Amino acid sequence: MKSRHVIEERKNHLLMRITGPYDYWEFIRYPDIIRQQCEATGIYRIVVDLKGVTQYESSTPELFFLGEKLADKLRHRIKIALVWNTVEQGEFLQNVATNRAASMKIFNTVERATKWLLFDHEDEPSGFFRY
């Protein structure tokens, strides 16, 4: 793999840091990794820090398919906050995922992402994290 990831267990959530060059075929597998880790720990909230990703160039179709995969693997189960440098592209990815019922949002700092992640919102499904 070109990129590396580390997942840390925090008190109420997981923190995943991804570093290295962007590669679509690696990133399309991360939703499966996230789901497996959440199910293994019983923690269904995760911050994914992408600020360490380098050589980032993705096409609109790649972002679309990544958003679909995130929604397919994580919706109704896992609340995810992405920390990303590329806000415009991140918003497109977020729209694709949230339009498919994923609970996901893009942020520019880990602190802001964590604050949103740990706050339960009225518009989230009832019992969202109870499995």
Side-chain angles (χ1 to χ4, degrees):
M1 288 182 79
K2 297 176 184 177
S3 64
R4 294 180 176 261
H5 72 278
V6 175
I7 301 176
E8 302 170 18
E9 191 172 326
R10 301 291 173 98
K11 183 178 180 181
N12 298 317
H13 69 286
L14 300 174
L15 174 63
M16 178 181 199
R17 296 184 192 274
I18 301 174
T19 57
Y22 168 79
D23 180 74
Y24 171 77
W25 297 106
E26 288 180 14
F27 275 65
I28 200 72
R29 294 188 297 193
Y30 281 126
D32 289 313
I33 292 168
I34 291 168
R35 184 170 179 165
Q36 290 170 359
Q37 189 66 32
C38 288
E39 289 175 347
T41 61
I43 300 172
Y44 294 95
R45 299 172 194 243
I46 187 167
V47 173
V48 179
D49 185 354
L50 299 167
K51 291 223 176 204
V53 176
T54 59
Q55 301 172 6
Y56 182 77
E57 291 182 31
S58 69
S59 64
T60 301
E62 284 180 1
L63 290 172
F64 179 83
F65 291 123
L66 283 169
E68 277 195 328
K69 179 79 170 194
L70 280 166
D72 181 52
K73 292 295 176 179
L74 309 181
R75 75 173 152 243
H76 305 302
R77 296 200 50 103
I78 299 165
K79 186 175 180 182
I80 182 170
L82 296 180
V83 180
W84 202 351
N85 292 326
T86 321
V87 175
E88 287 180 12
Q89 288 184 326
E91 287 177 356
F92 178 72
L93 175 72
Q94 176 180 309
N95 287 339
V96 171
T98 57
N99 286 343
R100 286 154 183 78
S103 182
M104 183 183 102
K105 196 162 179 178
I106 304 288
F107 296 91
N108 58 2
T109 68
V110 171
E111 294 76 23
R112 291 182 68 208
T114 304
K115 184 176 180 179
W116 174 82
L117 186 75
L118 297 178
F119 181 74
D120 290 325
H121 302 273
E122 288 181 18
D123 60 345
E124 289 177 348
S126 176
F128 189 75
F129 302 109
R130 292 173 185 80
Y131 290 94

